[in-house]
Amino acid sequence: MTILALQAGVYTKTLREVWSLWGPSRALLRWGLGRPLVAGLTHASLWLDRHLYPGFRRQAIEAPIFIVGHPRSGTTLAHRLLGETRRFATFELWQLMIPSLVGRRLAAPLIRRATRGRDLELHPSEVGHRVALRAIEEEEALFYHLFAGAFTLSTTPLAFADEDQAWLLEEERQPPPMRRALMAFFRGCLQRQLLYTGRSRVLAKMPQSVFRVRSLLEDFPDARFVYLVRSPFETIPSLISLQLSILRRNFDIEAVERVRPGWLERHVERQYQRSVRLYRYMEELLEQGVLGPDRLMTVRYPSLKADLHGTLERILAFAGTPLDGEEETRFAHAVQQETDYRPAHINRAAVELGLSPARIAQDLGFVCERHGFPMPHPIARVADSADAGAVRVAAGAR
């Protein structure tokens, strides 16, 4: 499958969804004309890079650091604070939106003017994840330019589709030519960013690229991975709450509910299944020894929160990037500011989303056991000779 064929297929599916949900509308203009126009300009400018900035193709990518794990496991916290060290090439949001060097040269004056004296927010922190033009954001978003990846699944009209499009994210469902094309595009974006920032190491936050670990290892044999792990009882409701907040902010949900009754339940169920597959896939990689101790550092979310500075310093040591005096002072200040932060959003509970804690325990209780996370009361996991994975809801259990 060529990139052009991939984009054409996803674009067609998106248009069908827009037409069936909203008919002739601004949404149809946005996704029918705006989306292909932006994609065309992006790829034209990337093509120009090859002729106007050919040096990026010779840029070596040495020992990149990939932050992976289920979303809402502290990946944003670690990514942004490690990025504050200025030792790594990371992407600000506007750079993810404009990955080409030619495009940035044209856009940079406009970005500076728009953010003079303040950053321009696209989503406030009340949504669940603050998004601003000059904020460091996750590199997983680069795949959006190819109509693929997690953001195409959760932030476009495909989120409302009856049919799950998980193949856009999970590489084992993708034909080899598609996987190779996606990784070649990703490599080119990292090479451009190294040239653009003048830094020597890549730090990429790619939580849902757990599904791409094998391809990342093939393309970057000296890569190191930081696996942030948090209890699925916390991450899954938090992620679904964030997704629903973004969808309600960006789309006419009332129209969706009229045309697609039950879409919310389908969305929650699909994301739940995807989350289960992500946790299991990562844990299977660990069991199979795909990531050895020299390649992987596992960080429990409670440890990150309890000792933020110390944990991040251990990650820097694992990456082989110790800080000098001035860098350490700036880093410590950034960590202290984050320590004082209090979230402005409220996550919905699993039961509010139609997810029973007993079901999460049955599907992912082994993650809690393996990483030492407590089971929420009143669920207790029991070892039974007939069914070692049985779960009982023990009302009043202590």
Side-chain angles (χ1 to χ4, degrees):
M1 176 182 288
T2 66
I3 286 297
L4 184 60
L6 165 66
Q7 292 177 307
V10 177
Y11 172 67
T12 301
K13 291 176 187 292
T14 304
L15 274 189
R16 288 198 195 111
E17 290 302 316
V18 173
W19 182 261
S20 67
L21 291 171
W22 300 290
S25 60
R26 289 184 179 179
L28 187 61
L29 288 175
R30 175 186 174 189
W31 296 99
L33 296 178
R35 183 80 168 97
L37 177 60
V38 171
L41 290 172
T42 297
H43 289 286
S45 60
L46 290 170
W47 178 82
L48 285 173
D49 283 350
R50 301 168 72 92
H51 301 279
L52 299 180
Y53 297 97
F56 86 85
R57 300 171 70 183
R58 298 188 295 272
Q59 186 75 48
I61 302 175
E62 298 179 352
I65 315 296
F66 296 117
I67 299 175
V68 298
H70 192 283
R72 316 301 283 176
S73 296
T75 54
T76 296
L77 177 63
H79 185 226
R80 289 184 174 173
L81 288 175
L82 292 171
E84 289 289 336
T85 65
R86 303 178 188 173
R87 285 294 192 95
F88 304 101
T90 55
F91 288 75
E92 295 179 357
L93 175 64
W94 78 272
Q95 295 164 355
L96 290 167
M97 296 167 68
I98 308 173
S100 82
L101 302 173
V102 169
R104 289 182 193 171
R105 182 160 188 173
L106 297 173
L110 300 175
I111 298 296
R112 284 194 295 269
R113 189 174 306 155
T115 58
R116 186 176 295 148
R118 64 181 180 87
D119 203 350
L120 187 62
E121 282 191 347
L122 278 70
H123 289 154
S125 56
E126 288 79 8
V127 171
H129 178 88
R130 180 179 180 269
V131 178
L133 282 180
R134 300 302 303 269
I136 294 174
E137 271 300 339
E138 66 179 85
E139 288 73 9
E140 173 71 31
L142 289 167
F143 295 107
Y144 184 84
H145 293 291
L146 300 185
F147 294 65
F151 288 89
T152 298
L153 281 174
S154 60
T155 65
T156 76
L158 291 179
F160 306 110
D162 289 329
E163 181 184 353
D164 190 8
Q165 307 293 327
W167 63 277
L168 293 172
L169 172 64
E170 300 176 30
E171 71 169 20
E172 291 193 342
R173 303 182 182 210
Q174 298 167 354
M178 177 181 169
R179 293 202 298 268
R180 289 193 294 269
L182 290 173
M183 293 310 299
F185 172 81
F186 181 62
R187 170 178 282 276
C189 289
L190 296 187
Q191 289 175 307
R192 287 176 174 86
Q193 194 66 3
L194 286 168
L195 182 63
Y196 186 77
T197 60
R199 293 171 186 163
S200 59
R201 298 280 299 280
V202 166
L203 173 70
K205 173 197 167 189
M206 306 179 69
Q208 299 196 62
S209 280
V210 161
F211 294 113
R212 294 193 188 92
V213 165
R214 293 182 187 276
S215 288
L216 290 170
L217 281 172
E218 289 175 8
D219 269 57
F220 310 103
D222 57 350
R224 299 182 188 183
F225 294 80
V226 177
Y227 173 36
L228 280 156
V229 59
R230 184 182 182 186
S231 168
F233 290 96
E234 298 171 356
T235 58
I236 294 175
S238 180
L239 174 60
I240 296 175
S241 296
L242 172 62
Q243 290 176 340
L244 295 178
S245 293
I246 292 174
L247 290 173
R248 292 185 184 280
R249 185 179 179 85
N250 294 338
F251 295 98
D252 180 359
I253 296 300
E254 290 183 1
V256 175
E257 290 171 343
R258 286 194 301 269
V259 177
R260 297 273 177 82
W263 77 270
L264 176 59
E265 291 77 9
R266 283 194 299 274
H267 178 82
V268 170
E269 179 61 23
R270 278 206 298 252
Q271 182 53 61
Y272 175 75
Q273 293 293 342
R274 201 175 298 142
S275 292
V276 170
R277 291 195 299 271
L278 187 148
Y279 270 112
R280 288 177 175 172
Y281 190 82
M282 187 66 197
E283 294 298 326
E284 286 169 7
L285 291 175
L286 302 184
E287 289 176 0
Q288 295 166 7
V290 173
L291 294 168
D294 58 328
R295 294 289 187 81
L296 175 73
M297 178 178 180
T298 299
V299 177
R300 297 172 67 255
Y301 181 75
S303 301
L304 180 71
K305 296 294 287 185
D307 183 13
L308 182 58
H309 189 276
T311 302
L312 293 175
E313 283 195 325
R314 288 190 288 276
I315 293 175
L316 288 168
F318 168 72
T321 313
L323 303 179
D324 60 29
E326 182 180 343
E327 290 172 327
E328 172 59 33
T329 300
R330 185 172 61 247
F331 180 60
H333 177 68
V335 170
Q336 184 57 50
Q337 285 185 313
E338 184 57 45
T339 303
D340 296 336
Y341 167 76
R342 294 294 179 269
H345 64 281
I346 299 175
N347 294 319
R348 297 172 68 176
V351 291
E352 292 181 73
L353 297 167
L355 298 172
S356 76
R359 182 186 181 191
I360 298 174
Q362 185 168 11
D363 291 333
L364 293 171
F366 75 96
V367 174
C368 296
E369 293 173 356
R370 184 170 295 174
H371 296 283
F373 300 131
M375 289 285 197
H377 180 83
I379 295 174
R381 190 171 180 82
V382 295
D384 187 288
S385 57
D387 181 6
V391 174
R392 62 181 172 86
V393 179
R398 298 184 181 276

